[in-house]
Every structure is written in C-alpha cells, then in structure tokens.
Amino acid sequence: MTSRNSRSDRQLLSLVRKGVLASVANAPSEVLLTGVSGGPDSICLLHLLSRLQGTLPCSLHVVHVQHGLRPGEGPEEAALVTHLSRSLGIECSVEGCDTEDYRRRHPAVTSIEAAARLVRYGCFCQRAASLGATTIAVAHTADDQVETVLMHLFRGSGITGLGGMRLLSRWEDPVSGAAINVLRPLLGVTKADTLAYCARHGLEFRNDPSNDSLHFDRNRMRRQVLPAIRSVYPGADAAVLRLAAASQTHDDFIRAEVERLLPPASRVEPEVLTVSRRAVLHLPDALRSHALRRLYNDLLQGIPDSRTLDLMMHALQSESPRHVDLPRGASMETSQDSVTFRRRPAEPPPPPDPHVVLTTPGEVRWAGWSIRVEHREHPEPGVQPDNWTAEFDAASTRLPLRVRQRLPGDRMTLSGMTGSKKIQDILVDARIPRRWRDLIPLVVGGNEVLWVAGVRPSAHARLTGSLGGVLRFTALPGDPVLAELIADSRRRSL
C-alpha cells in the first residue's frame, strides 16, 4: 500500500500509546512482550515503544523467534534485534524452534506458514508464562490487514473473517491450550509509514527473503493478486479497510445479540464445551451460524471455513445425532438436547530423567523447568515466597540437594498438621490432573522432600533465624499449561 504523506512521529507515538493503554486496561500486566523479527515493521514498533517507556504502566521485553526454516537463518537477525534492544535499554530473549519438526508431529497442520505461526506464538506463550506477562505487541500493519481480509473473503469467511485482525485479540495454542493477548498497535499504519520512520531515525532492519517466495499464499496475494486488483480499482486498499471496519462493527452487534439470546455454554472440562441444541435452533437464521462460529472459536481460537460451517449447520439441523470432524483433532457432536464441541486434550511431554543434583548456588533444568538455589544471610525483607519460590533454613537442610520425579510412597511434612502427607494426596488436593503429576518436580534435601515445586513447601527445615542463613529456591515451569494448572490451584487455596 502506498502513502503519499507518511505519518509523523507524533502521530505514530500517539497511536502506539493508545493501543498499549487499551491493552493494559483490558489485561493488566507489569510486562509487555514485543515480538521483533528484524523487519522494518517490527523494528519501527520496537523503537516507538522504547520512546514511550516512561509514559507506559509496564516494562518492555523483546522476543525474537528463529523458526529454523532457512539455512543460516538466525544469527544476523538475532544479533540485529539483540543489539538494538540493548541499546534502547530493553531486555531481549532469542527463542529457537524447529518448525519442520512441529509440522511432522502435527500432521493436521497442513501449511508451513501455519506451522511457523503456531510455533512462534507458542514461544511467545512460554516466555510470557516465565515473565508473568499477559500480552505481546506485534507489528501487523494496514497492508497486512488488506491481505488478511481478502484471503478470508476468497476462503468464504463470514462477517467475522471480513473484519480481519483486531487491535486486541486472544490467541490460544490449539495443542497445549496456552493463551496470550495479541496487541497490534500499528494496524492503522501502512508499511510506507514504517519504512519512512526507519529512514528518519537511521534504523537498520533485515528483509526476510522468504517474503519474495511465491510458494506462500500470502506472498502470492501481495505480489500477484493485489497488484492486479489495484490496476482495476486504484482505491481498493482503502475500500477493503473500510469493509473491515464496518464488518467489525456489525460483528460486534451480532456477537452481543448471540450473547443476549443464547444461554452460556457449559465447560464440563477445559476441552469440552456444551450448549442447548434447542436454544441454538431457536435463534434467528442470521444468528444461528454466528452462534456456531462463536462456539467453534471459543474452543479452537479460529474461524471455521465455509465448508466446515456448512457441515456444522447440517449436523445442527439434523433430527438424528451427528458427528463432525473439525480441524486439529476436534469434533462437534449433536444429540436430541445438546451440541457438544470437544478438543483433543493437551498431552504432557514424556517423563523426565529420574533426578539431578542441585549445588548451592546453582541452577538445573528438569523436564523443561528451571530450578535455582542460592544462599542468603537473611530472608529477603518484605518479600513473601509465592508459587515459584520457597525458603528453608540452611543449617537444618540436609544434603545433597536433588530435583527428581515423585516416587511411590513419597511423603512430606506440612505446617499445621502432625505426621506427614502423601505427595499423591497433595497433588490431588491441588487438582493437578493425573497425566501432569509426574512432571512436577520435587526438591529433596537428603531423604526429606522439601518442596513440591509451585504447589506446597514442607514444614521441614522451616526458617528459624539461625546463623546458618537461608536457602532460597526458585522454580519456573517451561510448559505454560502446567504453569496455569499450578496457578489455578494456588488461587483456589487463597
């Protein structure tokens, strides 16, 4: 999309600040992640956010993802993003992933573009979980919006798809269930604007050569379809953006009507969503298909294509029970009284190594967890241990320190009770699903279980103020699903 007059710094700063404040109001967080690939759009966004740091109610953290798709991909872009982030005083994480391996393990993901997006946002979720962040800012522009709306149109999307991308939306991993808010503060800005900004400030960036490949649908839309449309309709881009804005307004109204008229769906389990079939059938025709889209999106975080929606509508209207296979292993089932959507439950990783030794001070990795211990003279003043930290009296703690999987018969002494309690029962009381329990590490001193990481500390070696000092343990789970399960158990106990 071309722009005769590029936006000024003041206009760009105002747009980005409004977007961030709207995001923070919707999902408060002390940290805002920023996805930076190294291209002009994301470099522009990073620089604008850095200039706003003093006016924002949150700190910034950059995430750069290497997808492993191009020979030699990574070092140059990663060095560029890391150097710029540090020069702006912003922390930066570089995450590596194997997109081809992900696609092999998930055959339902048919395109490499979709696989790359899934692994990228999966990395964002993992980093967010480790930092306690709820939102990531990405650099989608008005050019991306035009391409997205047209691709949705040609795939037969309804009013929701014609609305394209939103300033703020929710993304959920269809495999793990991990989720993150996605903020697009540059959605009203053209690529010409971001290029002009980079030029004004002398910002270096890298163009991804894969953007020139006609192997990808979006690139064909950008390089072949859109130029042909513009040759016939010179104002096509602006018209598509108006269509998207109008569609979002209409979609919001329809959503509100569906919410008003349709009883809330019930979740018997996180992977199962059920609603009254009679209530859906009693909706007006214009709302019925939208209700199915909403239920589909609630479970799978996506928009069904026209063929899938037709199958869902046929099943809904059939007098006999029906089963519809949905993408990513999900399904829709109808009975006389109900419509049920099922998502394949998230599967935990394979069991970890039996145990690792933890030295003081030191850090170990175990089943994706990062577990650290340090020795302090005194407890940190004013800081209360939370899910992810625990403190014990150093003089009373037996050695060696180990991190291991629970074993049959493991028990732990707890504050406020005599004797001890089975680790199995502690995990059941915390409502940790059975298939995840072996992936929660135990921190053991000698033969005493000190801490079920993230869940419950032992009363053994409790702080006494002795001269031996304090052992402070910190544990960070690598799996966002497990992190959320533990956080839920903590919230229920408060």
Side-chain angles (χ1 to χ4, degrees), residues 348-356 365-369 403-407 435-442 482:
D353 293 333
H355 73 266
V356 291
R365 302 283 295 181
W366 186 90
W369 288 70
V403 177
R404 66 167 172 83
Q405 191 177 36
R406 67 185 180 123
L407 300 174
R435 64 182 183 273
W436 291 94
R437 292 172 195 164
D438 286 339
L439 296 173
I440 295 180
L442 306 186
L482 187 54

PDB file of all heavy atoms in Angstrom, residues 348-356 365-369 403-407 435-442 482:
ATOM      1  N   PRO A 348       0.892 -34.139  27.961  1.00  0.00           N
ATOM      2  CA  PRO A 348       2.145 -33.735  28.596  1.00  0.00           C
ATOM      3  C   PRO A 348       3.343 -34.310  27.860  1.00  0.00           C
ATOM      4  O   PRO A 348       3.222 -35.296  27.129  1.00  0.00           O
ATOM      5  CB  PRO A 348       2.032 -34.345  29.997  1.00  0.00           C
ATOM      6  CG  PRO A 348       1.121 -35.517  29.825  1.00  0.00           C
ATOM      7  CD  PRO A 348       0.138 -35.107  28.754  1.00  0.00           C
ATOM      8  N   PRO A 349       4.514 -33.714  28.042  1.00  0.00           N
ATOM      9  CA  PRO A 349       5.725 -34.262  27.449  1.00  0.00           C
ATOM     10  C   PRO A 349       6.057 -35.619  28.060  1.00  0.00           C
ATOM     11  O   PRO A 349       5.465 -36.024  29.061  1.00  0.00           O
ATOM     12  CB  PRO A 349       6.806 -33.220  27.824  1.00  0.00           C
ATOM     13  CG  PRO A 349       6.057 -32.018  28.295  1.00  0.00           C
ATOM     14  CD  PRO A 349       4.746 -32.491  28.791  1.00  0.00           C
ATOM     15  N   PRO A 350       7.022 -36.353  27.474  1.00  0.00           N
ATOM     16  CA  PRO A 350       7.421 -37.635  28.051  1.00  0.00           C
ATOM     17  C   PRO A 350       8.051 -37.455  29.429  1.00  0.00           C
ATOM     18  O   PRO A 350       8.532 -36.378  29.756  1.00  0.00           O
ATOM     19  CB  PRO A 350       8.457 -38.172  27.034  1.00  0.00           C
ATOM     20  CG  PRO A 350       8.909 -36.969  26.280  1.00  0.00           C
ATOM     21  CD  PRO A 350       7.760 -36.037  26.248  1.00  0.00           C
ATOM     22  N   PRO A 351       8.025 -38.510  30.256  1.00  0.00           N
ATOM     23  CA  PRO A 351       8.586 -38.401  31.608  1.00  0.00           C
ATOM     24  C   PRO A 351      10.052 -37.974  31.580  1.00  0.00           C
ATOM     25  O   PRO A 351      10.802 -38.322  30.671  1.00  0.00           O
ATOM     26  CB  PRO A 351       8.442 -39.826  32.166  1.00  0.00           C
ATOM     27  CG  PRO A 351       7.360 -40.444  31.347  1.00  0.00           C
ATOM     28  CD  PRO A 351       7.460 -39.833  29.991  1.00  0.00           C
ATOM     29  N   PRO A 352      10.472 -37.210  32.587  1.00  0.00           N
ATOM     30  CA  PRO A 352      11.841 -36.692  32.630  1.00  0.00           C
ATOM     31  C   PRO A 352      12.820 -37.700  33.216  1.00  0.00           C
ATOM     32  O   PRO A 352      12.441 -38.795  33.640  1.00  0.00           O
ATOM     33  CB  PRO A 352      11.701 -35.484  33.549  1.00  0.00           C
ATOM     34  CG  PRO A 352      10.591 -35.893  34.487  1.00  0.00           C
ATOM     35  CD  PRO A 352       9.635 -36.713  33.670  1.00  0.00           C
ATOM     36  N   ASP A 353      14.097 -37.289  33.254  1.00  0.00           N
ATOM     37  CA  ASP A 353      15.116 -38.093  33.924  1.00  0.00           C
ATOM     38  C   ASP A 353      14.757 -38.229  35.403  1.00  0.00           C
ATOM     39  O   ASP A 353      14.124 -37.336  35.989  1.00  0.00           O
ATOM     40  CB  ASP A 353      16.491 -37.427  33.796  1.00  0.00           C
ATOM     41  CG  ASP A 353      16.969 -37.414  32.352  1.00  0.00           C
ATOM     42  OD1 ASP A 353      16.545 -38.303  31.591  1.00  0.00           O
ATOM     43  OD2 ASP A 353      17.749 -36.514  31.992  1.00  0.00           O
ATOM     44  N   PRO A 354      15.167 -39.335  36.045  1.00  0.00           N
ATOM     45  CA  PRO A 354      14.762 -39.568  37.438  1.00  0.00           C
ATOM     46  C   PRO A 354      15.163 -38.446  38.393  1.00  0.00           C
ATOM     47  O   PRO A 354      14.347 -37.969  39.167  1.00  0.00           O
ATOM     48  CB  PRO A 354      15.475 -40.882  37.795  1.00  0.00           C
ATOM     49  CG  PRO A 354      15.695 -41.558  36.477  1.00  0.00           C
ATOM     50  CD  PRO A 354      15.925 -40.457  35.485  1.00  0.00           C
ATOM     51  N   HIS A 355      16.432 -38.008  38.359  1.00  0.00           N
ATOM     52  CA  HIS A 355      16.825 -36.937  39.277  1.00  0.00           C
ATOM     53  C   HIS A 355      18.105 -36.258  38.796  1.00  0.00           C
ATOM     54  O   HIS A 355      18.875 -36.826  38.017  1.00  0.00           O
ATOM     55  CB  HIS A 355      17.019 -37.477  40.696  1.00  0.00           C
ATOM     56  CG  HIS A 355      18.270 -38.296  40.850  1.00  0.00           C
ATOM     57  ND1 HIS A 355      18.263 -39.666  40.712  1.00  0.00           N
ATOM     58  CD2 HIS A 355      19.562 -37.945  41.108  1.00  0.00           C
ATOM     59  CE1 HIS A 355      19.493 -40.124  40.884  1.00  0.00           C
ATOM     60  NE2 HIS A 355      20.294 -39.108  41.119  1.00  0.00           N
ATOM     61  N   VAL A 356      18.308 -35.040  39.278  1.00  0.00           N
ATOM     62  CA  VAL A 356      19.553 -34.299  39.035  1.00  0.00           C
ATOM     63  C   VAL A 356      19.981 -33.690  40.358  1.00  0.00           C
ATOM     64  O   VAL A 356      19.158 -33.375  41.220  1.00  0.00           O
ATOM     65  CB  VAL A 356      19.377 -33.193  37.968  1.00  0.00           C
ATOM     66  CG1 VAL A 356      19.142 -33.780  36.597  1.00  0.00           C
ATOM     67  CG2 VAL A 356      18.248 -32.234  38.328  1.00  0.00           C
ATOM     68  N   ARG A 365      18.180 -27.787  34.908  1.00  0.00           N
ATOM     69  CA  ARG A 365      16.998 -27.925  34.055  1.00  0.00           C
ATOM     70  C   ARG A 365      16.435 -29.322  34.265  1.00  0.00           C
ATOM     71  O   ARG A 365      17.184 -30.302  34.287  1.00  0.00           O
ATOM     72  CB  ARG A 365      17.372 -27.727  32.586  1.00  0.00           C
ATOM     73  CG  ARG A 365      18.019 -26.404  32.264  1.00  0.00           C
ATOM     74  CD  ARG A 365      17.036 -25.278  32.195  1.00  0.00           C
ATOM     75  NE  ARG A 365      16.080 -25.416  31.106  1.00  0.00           N
ATOM     76  CZ  ARG A 365      15.133 -24.522  30.850  1.00  0.00           C
ATOM     77  NH1 ARG A 365      15.003 -23.442  31.603  1.00  0.00           N
ATOM     78  NH2 ARG A 365      14.316 -24.703  29.834  1.00  0.00           N
ATOM     79  N   TRP A 366      15.110 -29.392  34.434  1.00  0.00           N
ATOM     80  CA  TRP A 366      14.470 -30.682  34.661  1.00  0.00           C
ATOM     81  C   TRP A 366      13.095 -30.648  34.016  1.00  0.00           C
ATOM     82  O   TRP A 366      12.216 -29.875  34.417  1.00  0.00           O
ATOM     83  CB  TRP A 366      14.351 -30.940  36.160  1.00  0.00           C
ATOM     84  CG  TRP A 366      13.836 -32.299  36.547  1.00  0.00           C
ATOM     85  CD1 TRP A 366      14.576 -33.426  36.770  1.00  0.00           C
ATOM     86  CD2 TRP A 366      12.463 -32.666  36.752  1.00  0.00           C
ATOM     87  NE1 TRP A 366      13.753 -34.473  37.105  1.00  0.00           N
ATOM     88  CE2 TRP A 366      12.440 -34.034  37.099  1.00  0.00           C
ATOM     89  CE3 TRP A 366      11.264 -31.983  36.675  1.00  0.00           C
ATOM     90  CZ2 TRP A 366      11.272 -34.729  37.372  1.00  0.00           C
ATOM     91  CZ3 TRP A 366      10.076 -32.671  36.939  1.00  0.00           C
ATOM     92  CH2 TRP A 366      10.089 -34.015  37.282  1.00  0.00           C
ATOM     93  N   ALA A 367      12.884 -31.477  32.986  1.00  0.00           N
ATOM     94  CA  ALA A 367      11.594 -31.582  32.304  1.00  0.00           C
ATOM     95  C   ALA A 367      11.049 -30.218  31.884  1.00  0.00           C
ATOM     96  O   ALA A 367       9.859 -29.948  31.999  1.00  0.00           O
ATOM     97  CB  ALA A 367      10.583 -32.290  33.209  1.00  0.00           C
ATOM     98  N   GLY A 368      11.943 -29.359  31.408  1.00  0.00           N
ATOM     99  CA  GLY A 368      11.530 -28.035  30.965  1.00  0.00           C
ATOM    100  C   GLY A 368      11.530 -26.986  32.060  1.00  0.00           C
ATOM    101  O   GLY A 368      11.441 -25.791  31.786  1.00  0.00           O
ATOM    102  N   TRP A 369      11.604 -27.422  33.326  1.00  0.00           N
ATOM    103  CA  TRP A 369      11.663 -26.480  34.442  1.00  0.00           C
ATOM    104  C   TRP A 369      13.074 -25.915  34.596  1.00  0.00           C
ATOM    105  O   TRP A 369      14.060 -26.593  34.301  1.00  0.00           O
ATOM    106  CB  TRP A 369      11.299 -27.171  35.749  1.00  0.00           C
ATOM    107  CG  TRP A 369       9.868 -27.543  35.928  1.00  0.00           C
ATOM    108  CD1 TRP A 369       9.191 -28.521  35.261  1.00  0.00           C
ATOM    109  CD2 TRP A 369       8.943 -26.974  36.851  1.00  0.00           C
ATOM    110  NE1 TRP A 369       7.896 -28.592  35.712  1.00  0.00           N
ATOM    111  CE2 TRP A 369       7.705 -27.662  36.689  1.00  0.00           C
ATOM    112  CE3 TRP A 369       9.025 -25.964  37.800  1.00  0.00           C
ATOM    113  CZ2 TRP A 369       6.576 -27.349  37.445  1.00  0.00           C
ATOM    114  CZ3 TRP A 369       7.901 -25.650  38.556  1.00  0.00           C
ATOM    115  CH2 TRP A 369       6.690 -26.334  38.375  1.00  0.00           C
ATOM    116  N   VAL A 403      16.783 -32.683  42.564  1.00  0.00           N
ATOM    117  CA  VAL A 403      15.485 -32.434  41.936  1.00  0.00           C
ATOM    118  C   VAL A 403      15.089 -33.728  41.248  1.00  0.00           C
ATOM    119  O   VAL A 403      15.856 -34.270  40.452  1.00  0.00           O
ATOM    120  CB  VAL A 403      15.572 -31.280  40.907  1.00  0.00           C
ATOM    121  CG1 VAL A 403      14.223 -31.089  40.208  1.00  0.00           C
ATOM    122  CG2 VAL A 403      16.016 -29.991  41.574  1.00  0.00           C
ATOM    123  N   ARG A 404      13.910 -34.225  41.559  1.00  0.00           N
ATOM    124  CA  ARG A 404      13.509 -35.512  40.994  1.00  0.00           C
ATOM    125  C   ARG A 404      12.007 -35.606  40.835  1.00  0.00           C
ATOM    126  O   ARG A 404      11.238 -34.778  41.330  1.00  0.00           O
ATOM    127  CB  ARG A 404      14.014 -36.658  41.871  1.00  0.00           C
ATOM    128  CG  ARG A 404      13.405 -36.741  43.265  1.00  0.00           C
ATOM    129  CD  ARG A 404      13.735 -38.079  43.888  1.00  0.00           C
ATOM    130  NE  ARG A 404      13.359 -38.219  45.283  1.00  0.00           N
ATOM    131  CZ  ARG A 404      12.144 -38.545  45.705  1.00  0.00           C
ATOM    132  NH1 ARG A 404      11.155 -38.722  44.817  1.00  0.00           N
ATOM    133  NH2 ARG A 404      11.894 -38.681  46.999  1.00  0.00           N
ATOM    134  N   GLN A 405      11.619 -36.693  40.154  1.00  0.00           N
ATOM    135  CA  GLN A 405      10.220 -37.046  39.970  1.00  0.00           C
ATOM    136  C   GLN A 405       9.694 -37.666  41.263  1.00  0.00           C
ATOM    137  O   GLN A 405      10.456 -38.233  42.061  1.00  0.00           O
ATOM    138  CB  GLN A 405      10.139 -38.051  38.825  1.00  0.00           C
ATOM    139  CG  GLN A 405       8.764 -38.362  38.298  1.00  0.00           C
ATOM    140  CD  GLN A 405       8.852 -39.322  37.114  1.00  0.00           C
ATOM    141  OE1 GLN A 405       9.708 -40.201  37.098  1.00  0.00           O
ATOM    142  NE2 GLN A 405       7.987 -39.159  36.131  1.00  0.00           N
ATOM    143  N   ARG A 406       8.390 -37.560  41.507  1.00  0.00           N
ATOM    144  CA  ARG A 406       7.816 -38.227  42.678  1.00  0.00           C
ATOM    145  C   ARG A 406       7.951 -39.741  42.527  1.00  0.00           C
ATOM    146  O   ARG A 406       7.931 -40.286  41.414  1.00  0.00           O
ATOM    147  CB  ARG A 406       6.343 -37.846  42.848  1.00  0.00           C
ATOM    148  CG  ARG A 406       5.448 -38.372  41.739  1.00  0.00           C
ATOM    149  CD  ARG A 406       4.023 -37.863  41.882  1.00  0.00           C
ATOM    150  NE  ARG A 406       3.186 -38.381  40.790  1.00  0.00           N
ATOM    151  CZ  ARG A 406       2.087 -39.083  40.952  1.00  0.00           C
ATOM    152  NH1 ARG A 406       1.650 -39.371  42.157  1.00  0.00           N
ATOM    153  NH2 ARG A 406       1.390 -39.499  39.903  1.00  0.00           N
ATOM    154  N   LEU A 407       8.054 -40.417  43.662  1.00  0.00           N
ATOM    155  CA  LEU A 407       8.176 -41.869  43.698  1.00  0.00           C
ATOM    156  C   LEU A 407       7.034 -42.444  44.532  1.00  0.00           C
ATOM    157  O   LEU A 407       6.472 -41.756  45.403  1.00  0.00           O
ATOM    158  CB  LEU A 407       9.521 -42.280  44.314  1.00  0.00           C
ATOM    159  CG  LEU A 407      10.785 -41.792  43.587  1.00  0.00           C
ATOM    160  CD1 LEU A 407      12.024 -42.154  44.393  1.00  0.00           C
ATOM    161  CD2 LEU A 407      10.849 -42.401  42.191  1.00  0.00           C
ATOM    162  N   ARG A 435      -2.341 -36.917  34.493  1.00  0.00           N
ATOM    163  CA  ARG A 435      -1.308 -37.055  33.469  1.00  0.00           C
ATOM    164  C   ARG A 435      -0.201 -36.005  33.582  1.00  0.00           C
ATOM    165  O   ARG A 435       0.816 -36.101  32.900  1.00  0.00           O
ATOM    166  CB  ARG A 435      -1.943 -37.011  32.076  1.00  0.00           C
ATOM    167  CG  ARG A 435      -2.624 -35.701  31.712  1.00  0.00           C
ATOM    168  CD  ARG A 435      -3.259 -35.809  30.327  1.00  0.00           C
ATOM    169  NE  ARG A 435      -3.867 -34.581  29.879  1.00  0.00           N
ATOM    170  CZ  ARG A 435      -5.106 -34.204  30.135  1.00  0.00           C
ATOM    171  NH1 ARG A 435      -5.871 -34.975  30.902  1.00  0.00           N
ATOM    172  NH2 ARG A 435      -5.590 -33.065  29.670  1.00  0.00           N
ATOM    173  N   TRP A 436      -0.399 -34.990  34.454  1.00  0.00           N
ATOM    174  CA  TRP A 436       0.618 -33.953  34.618  1.00  0.00           C
ATOM    175  C   TRP A 436       1.424 -34.109  35.913  1.00  0.00           C
ATOM    176  O   TRP A 436       2.422 -33.407  36.116  1.00  0.00           O
ATOM    177  CB  TRP A 436      -0.032 -32.565  34.607  1.00  0.00           C
ATOM    178  CG  TRP A 436      -0.572 -32.164  33.275  1.00  0.00           C
ATOM    179  CD1 TRP A 436      -1.854 -32.325  32.815  1.00  0.00           C
ATOM    180  CD2 TRP A 436       0.148 -31.561  32.193  1.00  0.00           C
ATOM    181  NE1 TRP A 436      -1.976 -31.853  31.537  1.00  0.00           N
ATOM    182  CE2 TRP A 436      -0.766 -31.366  31.132  1.00  0.00           C
ATOM    183  CE3 TRP A 436       1.468 -31.141  32.025  1.00  0.00           C
ATOM    184  CZ2 TRP A 436      -0.404 -30.791  29.919  1.00  0.00           C
ATOM    185  CZ3 TRP A 436       1.835 -30.554  30.827  1.00  0.00           C
ATOM    186  CH2 TRP A 436       0.909 -30.392  29.786  1.00  0.00           C
ATOM    187  N   ARG A 437       0.999 -35.006  36.793  1.00  0.00           N
ATOM    188  CA  ARG A 437       1.592 -35.030  38.143  1.00  0.00           C
ATOM    189  C   ARG A 437       3.060 -35.425  38.154  1.00  0.00           C
ATOM    190  O   ARG A 437       3.837 -34.918  38.970  1.00  0.00           O
ATOM    191  CB  ARG A 437       0.784 -35.975  39.042  1.00  0.00           C
ATOM    192  CG  ARG A 437      -0.611 -35.461  39.346  1.00  0.00           C
ATOM    193  CD  ARG A 437      -1.460 -36.484  40.073  1.00  0.00           C
ATOM    194  NE  ARG A 437      -2.873 -36.102  40.040  1.00  0.00           N
ATOM    195  CZ  ARG A 437      -3.876 -36.923  40.311  1.00  0.00           C
ATOM    196  NH1 ARG A 437      -3.622 -38.191  40.639  1.00  0.00           N
ATOM    197  NH2 ARG A 437      -5.119 -36.491  40.237  1.00  0.00           N
ATOM    198  N   ASP A 438       3.455 -36.325  37.248  1.00  0.00           N
ATOM    199  CA  ASP A 438       4.851 -36.751  37.239  1.00  0.00           C
ATOM    200  C   ASP A 438       5.771 -35.690  36.648  1.00  0.00           C
ATOM    201  O   ASP A 438       6.993 -35.879  36.617  1.00  0.00           O
ATOM    202  CB  ASP A 438       5.007 -38.052  36.438  1.00  0.00           C
ATOM    203  CG  ASP A 438       4.478 -39.255  37.203  1.00  0.00           C
ATOM    204  OD1 ASP A 438       4.372 -39.150  38.439  1.00  0.00           O
ATOM    205  OD2 ASP A 438       4.174 -40.278  36.571  1.00  0.00           O
ATOM    206  N   LEU A 439       5.216 -34.596  36.150  1.00  0.00           N
ATOM    207  CA  LEU A 439       6.030 -33.520  35.567  1.00  0.00           C
ATOM    208  C   LEU A 439       6.197 -32.343  36.513  1.00  0.00           C
ATOM    209  O   LEU A 439       6.695 -31.297  36.118  1.00  0.00           O
ATOM    210  CB  LEU A 439       5.405 -33.052  34.244  1.00  0.00           C
ATOM    211  CG  LEU A 439       5.389 -34.130  33.167  1.00  0.00           C
ATOM    212  CD1 LEU A 439       4.601 -33.668  31.959  1.00  0.00           C
ATOM    213  CD2 LEU A 439       6.800 -34.499  32.752  1.00  0.00           C
ATOM    214  N   ILE A 440       5.771 -32.520  37.774  1.00  0.00           N
ATOM    215  CA  ILE A 440       6.018 -31.504  38.800  1.00  0.00           C
ATOM    216  C   ILE A 440       7.189 -31.972  39.651  1.00  0.00           C
ATOM    217  O   ILE A 440       7.136 -33.033  40.271  1.00  0.00           O
ATOM    218  CB  ILE A 440       4.767 -31.275  39.657  1.00  0.00           C
ATOM    219  CG1 ILE A 440       3.653 -30.697  38.783  1.00  0.00           C
ATOM    220  CG2 ILE A 440       5.078 -30.353  40.825  1.00  0.00           C
ATOM    221  CD1 ILE A 440       2.360 -30.435  39.531  1.00  0.00           C
ATOM    222  N   PRO A 441       8.270 -31.212  39.681  1.00  0.00           N
ATOM    223  CA  PRO A 441       9.473 -31.679  40.376  1.00  0.00           C
ATOM    224  C   PRO A 441       9.358 -31.591  41.892  1.00  0.00           C
ATOM    225  O   PRO A 441       8.685 -30.707  42.436  1.00  0.00           O
ATOM    226  CB  PRO A 441      10.556 -30.726  39.856  1.00  0.00           C
ATOM    227  CG  PRO A 441       9.821 -29.479  39.495  1.00  0.00           C
ATOM    228  CD  PRO A 441       8.475 -29.920  39.002  1.00  0.00           C
ATOM    229  N   LEU A 442      10.026 -32.514  42.549  1.00  0.00           N
ATOM    230  CA  LEU A 442      10.229 -32.445  43.994  1.00  0.00           C
ATOM    231  C   LEU A 442      11.650 -31.979  44.251  1.00  0.00           C
ATOM    232  O   LEU A 442      12.600 -32.479  43.635  1.00  0.00           O
ATOM    233  CB  LEU A 442      10.019 -33.806  44.650  1.00  0.00           C
ATOM    234  CG  LEU A 442       8.700 -34.548  44.389  1.00  0.00           C
ATOM    235  CD1 LEU A 442       8.649 -35.808  45.263  1.00  0.00           C
ATOM    236  CD2 LEU A 442       7.503 -33.662  44.634  1.00  0.00           C
ATOM    237  N   LEU A 482       1.041 -26.346  32.286  1.00  0.00           N
ATOM    238  CA  LEU A 482       1.333 -26.758  33.654  1.00  0.00           C
ATOM    239  C   LEU A 482       1.414 -25.542  34.572  1.00  0.00           C
ATOM    240  O   LEU A 482       0.921 -25.573  35.711  1.00  0.00           O
ATOM    241  CB  LEU A 482       2.637 -27.553  33.688  1.00  0.00           C
ATOM    242  CG  LEU A 482       3.017 -28.202  35.025  1.00  0.00           C
ATOM    243  CD1 LEU A 482       1.890 -29.074  35.545  1.00  0.00           C
ATOM    244  CD2 LEU A 482       4.301 -29.005  34.868  1.00  0.00           C
TER     245      LEU A 482
END
